[in-house]
């Protein structure tokens, strides 16, 4: 169907904006007049133009009497920018096809209602599932106040994420690592436990940030869970570019805090929960900072804690055809479950191959629209 192809085009435009619009959603819009696409646009960074405005600007006078295809319900309110509904009305658009209603309380159904009040025909639901998945992180954030948590790890066929000495470089092959690294461009923060810093000394930066064709993007926040302040002050994670946040358990040693600040980190003190930083309280604090997506890259203890507390939304498990073995080799930690009936099972599972490696991805406790 031709109209669906126009919406698919809008979805493709929205994908260009992924990772660049936070805390706003990534949206694409297409304006069609007499069977021809006369305007296209996607959301630019927060405070800049929305997709609808970009598409209308390109369409110009040809927007009069045209149809707009947009991946998310147009906003009817003043935020960082004026309402998109009014721009659509003023441009003379006669019909609007919306893929997904915006669950944001400031928008929810009000955008469509406003357009209907002005005699503009609206249709909601075309390619809804695809639009939902594009902005699943935004949707969680605006409905719960919490960031969307993605757990990413590489493991051997026997389920080990590191050897008994803590070595994990490299379980997967180069092609897989390049894809995994590219994920950093799509998130607001990268979270690791302090043991990962001690063992691997990673920088946790996104290479070539802003080089995917979209508008410019700052580096993701580098977030270290370090209950007692063990992170080495000479660690590469403190090197620019990007900001560093170290989450510690309160009360925290004031001298250690001063040295971490001098090294270039911001230190946030959080409640102690069983000898570790209270992860839920941390996620609440991140949500208040408008951190929408968190990519957790290890290690086993942190991943296990997140799974134990059912705080993971999506899993990306890269499996390499190698056997590490060893009772003391590192796996995903935590308390785990007592029976298989309690095991966390992924839904909407997808399997993808990278050379000899396999990526298994899926969702925990997330529902489709």
């Amino acid at each position: 169907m031709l109209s669906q192809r126009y919406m698919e085009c809008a979805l493709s435009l929205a994908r260009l904006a992924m990772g660049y619009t936070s805390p706003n959603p990534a949206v694409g819009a297409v304006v069609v007049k007499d069977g021809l696409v006369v305007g296209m646009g996607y959301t630019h960074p927060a405070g800049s133009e929305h997709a609808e405005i970009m598409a209308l600007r390109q369409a110009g006078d040809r927007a009069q009497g045209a149809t707009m295809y947009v991946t998310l319900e147009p906003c009817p309110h003043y935020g960082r920018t004026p309402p998109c509904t009014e721009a659509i009305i003023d441009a003379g658009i006669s019909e609007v096809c919306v893929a997904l209603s915006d669950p944001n309380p400031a928008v929810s159904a009000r955008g469509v209602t406003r357009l209907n009040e002005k005699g503009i025909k609206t249709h909601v639901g075309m390619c809804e599932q695809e639009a939902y998945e594009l902005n699943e992180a935004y949707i969680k954030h605006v409905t719960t106040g919490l960031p969307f948590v993605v757990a990413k790890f590489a493991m051997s066929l026997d389920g080990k994420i590191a050897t008994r000495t803590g070595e994990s470089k490299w379980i997967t092959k180069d092609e897989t690592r390049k894809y995994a690294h590219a994920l950093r461009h799509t998130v607001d923060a990268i979270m690791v436990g302090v043991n990962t810093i001690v063992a691997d000394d990673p920088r946790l930066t996104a290479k070539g940030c802003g080089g995917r064709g979209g508008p410019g993007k700052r580096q993701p926040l580098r977030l270290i869970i370090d209950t007692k302040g063990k992170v080495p002050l000479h660690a590469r994670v403190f090197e620019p570019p990007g900001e560093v946040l170290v989450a510690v358990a309160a009360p925290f040693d004031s001298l250690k805090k001063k040295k971490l600040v001098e090294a270039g980190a911001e230190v946030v003190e959080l409640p102690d929960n069983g000898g570790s930083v209270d992860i839920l309280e941390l996620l609440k604090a991140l949500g208040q900072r408008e951190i929408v997506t968190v990519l957790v890259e290890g290690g086993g203890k942190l991943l296990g804690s997140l799974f134990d507390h059912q705080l993971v939304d999506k899993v990306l498990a890269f499996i390499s055809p190698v056997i590490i073995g060893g009772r003391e080799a590192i796996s995903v930690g935590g308390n785990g479950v007592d029976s298989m009936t309690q095991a966390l099972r992924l839904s909407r599972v997808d399997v993808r191959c990278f050379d000899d490696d396999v990526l298994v991805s899926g969702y925990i406790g997330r529902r489709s629209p």
Side-chain angles (χ1 to χ4, degrees):
M1 189 166 58
L2 190 60
S3 58
Q4 184 165 323
R5 288 177 59 188
Y6 295 136
M7 185 62 80
E8 289 170 352
C9 178
L11 289 165
S12 295
L13 289 166
R15 292 186 185 98
L16 292 176
M18 286 187 68
Y20 296 89
T21 63
S22 185
N24 290 342
V27 181
V30 173
V31 178
V32 179
K33 179 74 172 287
D34 299 327
L36 296 175
V37 174
V38 296
M40 297 188 297
Y42 55 83
T43 311
H44 280 55
S48 302
E49 289 83 357
H50 289 191
E52 299 94 322
I53 305 304
M54 299 296 293
L56 290 172
R57 183 177 299 164
Q58 190 177 89
D61 294 340
R62 293 172 295 180
Q64 186 73 37
T67 299
M68 173 178 283
Y69 295 83
V70 61
T71 59
L72 191 67
E73 182 178 6
C75 61
H77 64 289
Y78 280 89
R80 292 182 175 91
T81 58
C84 290
T85 51
E86 303 313 300
I88 293 170
I89 294 165
D90 293 343
I93 292 287
S94 63
E95 193 170 353
V96 176
C97 294
V98 177
L100 181 68
S101 296
D102 191 338
N104 186 337
V107 180
S108 187
R110 291 176 54 212
V112 168
T113 299
R114 175 60 177 162
L115 296 175
N116 288 337
E117 288 174 351
K118 291 297 182 177
I120 297 175
K121 296 179 182 178
T122 58
H123 312 274
V124 180
M126 183 186 296
C127 300
E128 183 181 47
Q129 181 64 38
E130 294 91 332
Y132 177 89
E133 291 178 1
L134 267 173
N135 281 303
E136 57 197 2
Y138 162 79
I139 291 167
K140 182 188 179 184
H141 185 251
V142 297
T143 55
T144 69
L146 298 173
F148 188 83
V149 178
V150 181
K152 177 181 79 70
F153 52 92
M155 67 180 186
S156 61
L157 275 180
D158 54 340
K160 309 298 184 181
I161 63 174
T163 69
R164 63 188 180 192
T165 64
E167 181 184 339
S168 61
K169 293 183 178 180
W170 298 104
I171 291 177
T172 55
K173 290 190 174 180
D174 187 60
E175 182 184 355
T176 307
R177 295 199 301 273
K178 286 179 180 177
Y179 175 81
H181 194 96
L183 293 170
R184 293 180 178 180
H185 288 273
T186 66
V187 302
D188 298 322
I190 300 169
M191 181 190 293
V192 298
V194 66
N195 290 336
T196 296
I197 300 295
V198 173
D200 298 337
D201 195 20
R203 293 185 65 198
L204 302 180
T205 54
K207 295 178 182 176
C209 230
R212 291 192 297 118
K217 180 190 186 327
R218 60 183 173 83
Q219 287 283 340
L221 176 70
R222 295 172 285 181
L223 175 57
I224 305 167
I225 311 303
D226 187 11
T227 304
K228 298 180 180 179
K230 293 177 6 184
V231 61
L233 298 176
H234 60 271
R236 295 198 305 159
V237 73
F238 295 116
E239 298 173 2
E243 299 176 357
V244 181
L245 181 68
V246 180
V248 300
F252 187 64
D253 184 277
S254 59
L255 181 57
K256 285 185 178 181
K257 183 173 183 177
K258 180 184 178 187
K259 288 182 178 180
L260 285 170
V261 171
E262 290 173 348
E266 178 185 354
V267 179
V268 57
E269 296 187 45
L270 294 160
D272 185 303
N273 183 4
S276 300
V277 168
D278 191 315
I279 298 296
L280 178 56
E281 290 302 314
L282 173 60
L283 292 178
K284 289 178 181 179
L286 293 175
Q288 292 170 359
R289 290 172 177 242
E290 297 189 322
I291 298 294
V292 174
T293 315
V294 176
L295 179 65
V296 184
E297 295 197 354
K301 181 180 178 181
L302 174 59
L303 288 165
S305 177
L306 288 163
F307 283 124
D308 282 347
H309 292 90
Q310 298 188 33
L311 296 174
V312 175
D313 297 289
K314 185 174 184 178
V315 174
L316 299 172
F318 295 87
I319 305 170
S320 177
V322 298
I323 306 294
I324 291 177
R327 291 188 181 135
E328 296 179 5
I330 300 170
S331 303
V332 172
N335 296 322
V337 298
D338 295 326
S339 68
M340 286 303 299
T341 58
Q342 298 172 307
L344 298 174
R345 184 172 293 274
L346 301 185
S347 63
R348 287 187 283 152
V349 174
D350 183 63
V351 179
R352 180 174 176 181
C353 292
F354 296 88
D355 199 356
D356 293 336
D357 300 327
V358 176
L359 166 61
V360 177
S361 62
Y363 296 84
I364 298 178
R366 300 296 293 164
R367 294 183 179 179
S368 299

